[in-house]
Amino acid sequence: MKKLLLTGALGQIGTELTTALRKAYGENNVVASDIHPEIPDGPLRGGLYEVVDVVKPKQIADVVKKYQVTDIIHLAALLSAVGEAKPHLAWEVNMGGLFNVLEVARECGAALFTPSSIAAFGPSTPADQTPQDTIQRPTTMYGVTKVAGELLCDYYYLKYGVDTRGVRFPGLISYEALPGGGTTDYAVHIFYEALKHQSYTSYIDRGTYMDMMYMPDAIKATMQLLEADPQKLIHRNAFNVTAMSFDPEALAAEIRQHIPTFSLSYKVDPVRQNIANSWPNSLDDSVARAEWGFKPEYDLAAMTKDMLTQLKIKLKV
Ligand code: NAD
Ligand code: SER
C-alpha cells in the first residue's frame, strides 16, 4: 500500500488532491504538509498534517521516515506572477525545494510526482498545438525553474532510478481554494466576480489564448499517472496535458450563457500580459493520451456550468 506525502498541500491543487488521495488510499496513508503551522478551515482539517518547509531538507526527511512514505507529491512552489516579483525566492523554493525532495526520495527509495507547467515553454516555442518535445527557452524565473526541474527529475530517474513523474499543467480552474499567484488566475477570479458583481476587469488582454483545465481533470490526471504502468512511460518529466484553450472574451461569452448581464472590461497588467504572451496558445497532449490514457472530461462549457453551480453554493449567492 502506498504512503503518500504532499508538500505545499494547502495550495490550490493540494487542497483538492489531498482529499482525493485520502479517498483512494485511506485517511492514514496520506500526510499533508505545508509551511504554515495552522490548517485553515476547510476540507483538510482533521487529517494527518505536518509542517514541512521544503528548503529545509531535514524537515522533509524526518516526515518521510516517520510515516515510511513511499510516494512524495511535491507541490510546494512559487507560481509565475509571484516568481517574477520575487525571482530569488522563486529559485530558492522551486529549485532548492525540488532538489531537497529528490535527495530524500533517493535516500529513502520513494517515488516522486511533481507538476511542471505551460510556463516551461517560451516565446521561441511553437505556440499552436505545442508538441511534447520542442524548444523550451522560457523567459520567466518560474519557467526557468520548471524546465530545470523537468531535467533534474529526468536526471534522478536515469542516474539513481528514482521513479519520477510529472505533467505540464495548464492554468487550473477550481472553486475550493483560490489560486496562489499565477498568470492564469484571472480565469478563476472572473467566476467570483461574475457571481458577486456581474462584471470583471481582466488583467489579461482580449485575444490572449492560454491552455486551461478544470481541477477534477487535473486530479484525475495526477492519480492516473501515479498508477500508470512504468513500462509504458517514455516521457516521464513532463507530459503535456490540456483540456481547453480560450481567451478572456471566449470565457466571458460562456459565462453569459448563464449570467446574460455579465460584462467584461480590461485593465491589462503588463507583467502578467508579458508572461502570458510568452506561453503557448494551445498544447498537443497526444503523448499523455498514448502513454497513460489521459482524457479530460470538462470542456469550456462543462467547466463553466459546474464552476458557477459550485461557487453559487460556496458563496451563498
Ligand atoms: P499554490 O500557490 O496554490 O500552493 C503552493 C503551496 O506551497 C502553498 O500552500 C504554499 O504555502 C506552499 N509553499 C510555499 N513555499 C513553501 C515552502 N518553502 N515549503 C513548503 N511549502 C511551501 O500552488 P498550486 O497551484 O497548488 O501549484 C502546485 C504545483 O503545481 C506547483 O509546482 C505549480 O507550479 C504547479 N502548477 C500549478 C498550476 C495552477 O494553475 N495552479 C499550473 C501549472 C503548474
Ligand atoms: N497557473 C500557473 C501560473 O499562471 C501556470 O503554471 O503561474
Side-chain angles (χ1 to χ4, degrees):
M1 175 56 96
K2 283 187 194 297
K3 279 262 187 184
L4 300 110
L5 168 69
L6 293 95
T7 69
L10 300 182
Q12 189 192 6
I13 298 178
T15 300
E16 297 196 42
L17 183 58
T18 304
T19 307
L21 291 170
R22 285 183 174 150
K23 275 192 194 132
Y25 297 102
E27 288 278 328
N28 292 328
N29 293 319
V30 179
V31 184
S33 77
D34 205 293
I35 199 169
H36 301 293
E38 295 290 327
I39 310 178
D41 272 342
L44 299 196
R45 273 275 168 94
L48 294 174
Y49 182 77
E50 298 280 347
V51 174
V52 174
D53 179 344
V54 296
V55 302
K56 300 193 173 138
K58 187 171 179 313
Q59 288 188 4
I60 308 164
D62 286 350
V63 171
V64 166
K65 286 173 192 159
K66 176 175 170 186
Y67 293 96
Q68 296 179 313
V69 167
T70 60
D71 292 70
I72 304 172
I73 316 289
H74 178 53
L75 303 175
L78 303 193
L79 275 77
S80 58
V82 178
E84 280 317 278
K86 301 175 186 171
H88 298 101
L89 186 63
W91 178 266
E92 192 184 335
V93 173
N94 295 10
M95 286 318 300
L98 178 61
F99 177 75
N100 292 337
V101 167
L102 280 164
E103 270 297 284
V104 172
R106 180 179 71 79
E107 281 165 16
C108 300
L112 181 95
F113 171 90
T114 194
S116 183
S117 161
I118 50 172
F121 299 116
S124 52
T125 301
D128 296 306
Q129 287 300 299
T130 303
Q132 173 68 39
D133 300 309
T134 186
I135 301 163
Q136 291 184 266
R137 305 285 295 176
T139 48
T140 63
M141 177 55 89
Y142 177 64
V144 168
T145 67
K146 286 299 175 189
V147 178
E150 291 181 9
L151 295 172
L152 195 60
C153 287
D154 272 348
Y155 182 81
Y156 269 71
Y157 170 65
L158 295 167
K159 177 93 175 171
Y160 302 117
V162 177
D163 183 351
T164 55
R165 304 177 185 200
V167 291
R168 293 179 186 134
F169 274 137
L172 298 180
I173 299 166
S174 67
Y175 55 85
E176 198 70 65
L178 283 166
T183 301
T184 57
D185 297 11
Y186 91 88
V188 177
H189 296 150
I190 194 171
F191 285 99
Y192 283 79
E193 294 305 307
L195 285 169
K196 288 197 270 191
H197 306 298
Q198 291 77 55
S199 67
Y200 179 67
T201 304
S202 176
Y203 59 81
I204 293 294
D205 209 354
R206 58 164 62 81
T208 309
Y209 281 78
M210 287 185 277
D211 287 275
M212 303 278 176
M213 187 184 289
Y214 196 32
M215 192 60 86
D217 280 328
I219 301 297
K220 193 176 84 175
T222 302
M223 294 174 70
Q224 245 180 307
L225 183 53
L226 279 179
E227 292 293 347
D229 178 354
Q231 306 296 328
K232 297 196 176 144
L233 299 182
I234 301 161
H235 297 82
R236 287 173 159 267
N237 306 289
F239 290 93
N240 282 5
V241 290
T242 188
M244 60 195 94
S245 168
F246 56 73
D247 81 326
E249 290 292 318
L251 179 53
E254 198 55 47
I255 290 172
R256 273 187 214 109
Q257 299 288 322
H258 305 269
I259 306 172
T261 54
F262 175 69
S263 71
L264 179 64
S265 56
Y266 292 91
K267 187 174 178 214
V268 173
D269 167 23
V271 173
R272 285 176 287 185
Q273 185 62 43
N274 269 343
I275 297 174
N277 289 346
S278 75
W279 291 354
N281 300 328
S282 62
L283 294 189
D284 173 356
D285 61 10
S286 54
V287 170
R289 289 172 188 261
E291 289 186 27
W292 49 277
F294 170 70
K295 192 168 182 287
E297 281 173 31
Y298 289 85
D299 60 9
L300 174 58
M303 176 276 291
T304 303
K305 185 164 181 260
D306 201 58
M307 265 301 275
L308 289 171
T309 306
Q310 301 296 342
L311 264 187
K312 262 187 205 168
I313 299 166
K314 182 177 171 178
L315 300 175
K316 300 189 176 72
V317 289

